[in-house]
Amino acid sequence: MINSDISKDEQIAQIIDHIESTNNFSTKTVENILSNKIVLTENSLNIIHHELKTPLVPIRTYADMLFQGKFGHLTPEQKNKVEMISANAKQLQQKIEILLDKKIHGSINNVDDDKTKSSIKEMEQQNMLLEKINQLLVEKSDRDDSEIQKLQNKAVESERQKNEILQERLILNKTVHFEEQKNFQLGRKNIIIIAIFALIVAVSFTSYSLYVVDLVGKQYQVSNLGKINSGGYLIQNLRGDTIDTWLSWRLVPGSTLHVGITNAAKYPDKIPLIKEVVLSEDSVDIDDSLLHKGLRGSISTYYVGWKGALEHISAQSTKFTIPSNLDVIDTQAGEGDITIILTNERNGDGYSGFTKSIADDSQNQILKSTITIYEVDKLNDEQFKTVLRHEFGHALGLAHSTAPEDLMAPTIQTAYPYISDCDVDTLVKLYDGGMNSQVTCEK
């Protein structure tokens, strides 16, 4: 009997031993019959014929299967033994055929004895053993087939899972690539949107800023000013000679420059206008493009009154004191450092205003300035303030400006008749010992 629980190598060894034993026994039996050591009857010969041929086929079959490694790996010794079994089985088949030929020719005696029966019985046992071996081998083959099938199923399942994983990776890669492209496109779209939005905001902000600047500048525009020929100013020395030179006031630090108004009672409505022009400290910001001095968005500061302009520059260190302390008084006899005369008379040269300064030409020092405003009854408030603002610049020492859009131009054409940076910069240079009173605008 073969135990199915033992190892494969041990089972192979047992199979080889049983096949070899059966083959040897069958061969020995046939040889004894052929040598007449065993005498058989007709009936016994038929039985032996069947019993001999029954194990012969499985012996050769199992020998071939063992040799081909169907039941496992054989050692070199086992291979030699299986080859010998196979060769003996072939010889046995030849001997059985010789035995059958004797039967045909009647050379077998009709004798039956106990020895023959014993041989037959042993052959039956050997045959049963082969059948048992065959059964075990079939069961083992079935188990191996089952294991092979399981392995094949596992291989198929593994291949399926592998394909699924590959498919998932492919889908994932496509999804990732699609998302990357989508994010890239979305990023580009967002950048474009942000850029457009930023551009819109910038344009809107610029437009808004320019709009606001335009409003701030334009609200100080004087639209009914007309063309004013203020252009007359005269400088005389103490001998009464007309001179052409640069002049400035020479005041003690902290002293006040007094501005007197004659005929103030006759023109009470002009007093507030005079005080605004002389004493106002207000300033306004105006876009340079409105005066054709620069691009839109660039801004310059202008002063409504001379006190504000003079205080702005008085903090600077200059050779002579800039007269920033101003005072307006009502006078009938021409008191004050600067006297303002109001009249309805017309100037013979067509001037709206005229300034005459008495100077010590040896020191280039202003001693007294007189401002006359003509045809006061024909000037509106803005025209009156513009003429006075221009003439007060002469009274402080300024000559005419080379810039037609400036307040100190000989003929006032600007719609923004305020004290400019050009005017105050010229005053700083003049009171710092400069020898030029002409207003020059660098902007």
Side-chain angles (χ1 to χ4, degrees):
M1 296 294 292
I2 296 178
N3 187 357
S4 60
D5 295 330
I6 64 178
S7 66
K8 183 182 291 185
D9 292 340
E10 292 176 346
Q11 289 183 5
I12 291 173
Q14 288 184 6
I15 292 171
I16 293 173
D17 291 340
H18 285 297
I19 293 174
E20 185 179 19
S21 175
T22 302
N23 184 65
N24 291 339
F25 176 79
S26 300
T27 301
K28 185 177 179 181
T29 301
V30 172
E31 288 178 350
N32 290 332
I33 294 173
L34 290 174
S35 62
N36 293 324
K37 291 182 179 180
I38 298 176
V39 181
L40 300 176
T41 63
E42 184 71 21
N43 184 47
S44 297
L45 185 59
N46 289 333
I47 294 173
I48 289 175
H49 173 259
H50 172 72
E51 295 299 335
L52 288 173
K53 293 202 69 174
T54 297
L56 184 60
V57 174
I59 287 173
R60 296 187 62 182
T61 301
Y62 291 139
D64 291 340
M65 292 173 67
L66 285 167
F67 188 75
Q68 295 173 7
K70 298 291 185 178
F71 304 110
H73 180 71
L74 299 180
T75 64
E77 182 181 353
Q78 289 174 337
K79 283 185 178 181
N80 293 334
K81 188 177 289 188
V82 170
E83 289 178 354
M84 187 177 298
I85 292 172
S86 180
N88 292 337
K90 291 179 180 180
Q91 293 178 2
L92 176 59
Q93 183 176 1
Q94 293 175 358
K95 290 179 181 181
I96 291 173
E97 290 175 353
I98 294 172
L99 179 60
L100 293 176
D101 288 340
K102 284 188 175 184
K103 174 189 173 185
I104 294 172
H105 294 91
S107 58
I108 303 299
N109 297 322
N110 295 324
V111 180
D112 192 4
D113 54 14
D114 293 336
K115 188 175 182 179
T116 300
K117 292 180 180 180
S118 176
S119 297
I120 292 173
K121 186 174 182 180
E122 288 185 17
M123 292 181 67
E124 289 177 350
Q125 291 177 351
Q126 292 291 337
N127 188 39
M128 291 175 61
L129 180 60
L130 287 175
E131 289 179 354
K132 183 63 176 177
I133 291 172
N134 182 60
Q135 180 181 353
L136 293 175
L137 292 175
V138 170
E139 292 175 355
K140 184 177 184 306
S141 177
D142 292 340
R143 288 196 303 272
D144 291 343
D145 290 342
S146 177
E147 290 296 328
I148 292 172
Q149 185 64 39
K150 289 181 181 179
L151 291 175
Q152 290 177 345
N153 292 339
K154 288 183 179 180
V156 172
E157 179 65 20
S158 177
E159 185 67 20
R160 185 186 65 79
Q161 292 178 355
K162 179 181 177 181
N163 291 335
E164 288 181 353
I165 292 173
L166 292 176
Q167 189 69 20
E168 290 176 356
R169 287 181 180 176
L170 181 61
I171 295 173
L172 181 60
N173 290 336
K174 288 183 178 180
T175 303
V176 170
H177 181 67
F178 174 77
E179 289 296 329
E180 288 178 349
Q181 287 186 330
K182 181 179 177 182
N183 292 335
F184 177 73
Q185 295 294 334
L186 184 61
R188 289 183 58 186
K189 181 179 179 181
N190 290 338
I191 291 174
I192 293 173
I193 292 174
I194 292 172
I196 293 174
F197 179 75
L199 180 61
I200 293 173
V201 170
V203 171
S204 301
F205 180 76
T206 303
S207 300
Y208 173 76
S209 300
L210 292 176
Y211 176 72
V212 172
V213 169
D214 285 344
L215 288 178
V216 171
K218 286 183 177 179
Q219 69 178 342
Y220 299 111
Q221 182 181 14
V222 180
S223 58
N224 59 345
L225 189 59
K227 190 174 183 179
I228 300 174
N229 185 12
S230 62
Y233 79 98
L234 176 69
I235 302 173
Q236 290 181 338
N237 59 20
L238 293 174
R239 296 185 297 273
D241 298 327
T242 300
I243 59 175
D244 183 12
T245 186
W246 53 274
L247 300 171
S248 62
W249 289 91
R250 307 297 168 83
L251 302 177
V252 178
S255 61
T256 300
L257 191 69
H258 297 285
V259 180
I261 307 173
T262 61
N263 303 328
K266 187 176 178 180
Y267 302 98
D269 58 327
K270 303 301 181 185
I271 304 303
L273 303 180
I274 294 172
K275 289 184 176 181
E276 179 182 340
V277 170
V278 176
L279 301 178
S280 175
E281 300 178 12
D282 294 338
S283 63
V284 295
D285 292 332
I286 300 176
D287 194 295
D288 290 337
S289 65
L290 296 175
L291 288 91
H292 310 289
K293 295 174 62 176
L295 298 175
R296 296 173 67 93
S298 60
I299 297 173
S300 296
T301 300
Y302 294 79
Y303 300 91
V304 175
W306 278 104
K307 181 176 178 61
L310 295 171
E311 285 186 343
H312 175 70
I313 61 175
S314 63
Q316 300 187 38
S317 178
T318 54
K319 183 177 181 180
F320 306 116
T321 299
I322 295 175
S324 58
N325 294 327
L326 303 177
D327 183 30
V328 177
I329 60 175
D330 184 6
T331 178
Q332 296 298 323
E335 300 91 346
D337 302 300
I338 300 174
T339 300
I340 299 175
I341 301 174
L342 305 179
T343 180
N344 290 333
E345 295 179 2
R346 185 179 184 275
N347 179 270
D349 294 324
Y351 298 144
S352 298
F354 190 87
T355 300
K356 183 176 73 171
S357 294
I358 306 299
D360 180 358
D361 54 353
S362 64
Q363 299 292 329
N364 295 95
Q365 176 184 354
I366 302 175
L367 302 175
K368 173 76 176 183
S369 288
T370 302
I371 299 172
T372 303
I373 308 297
Y374 297 98
E375 296 182 298
V376 173
D377 58 340
K378 295 182 179 179
L379 297 174
N380 60 42
D381 290 349
E382 293 299 332
Q383 291 173 330
F384 179 85
K385 289 190 293 183
T386 297
V387 172
L388 180 58
R389 195 176 285 125
H390 173 97
E391 298 302 330
F392 202 89
H394 289 317
L396 291 173
L398 292 177
H400 281 141
S401 173
T402 58
E405 73 278 359
D406 193 73
L407 171 70
M408 296 306 296
T411 300
I412 303 174
Q413 305 177 45
T414 179
Y416 300 90
Y418 304 103
I419 304 163
S420 69
D421 287 337
C422 304
D423 305 327
V424 295
D425 289 343
T426 302
L427 280 175
V428 170
K429 295 176 182 177
L430 182 63
Y431 279 80
D432 198 32
M435 300 180 182
N436 186 6
S437 59
Q438 186 181 48
V439 176
T440 303
C441 293
E442 297 179 358
K443 185 176 181 181

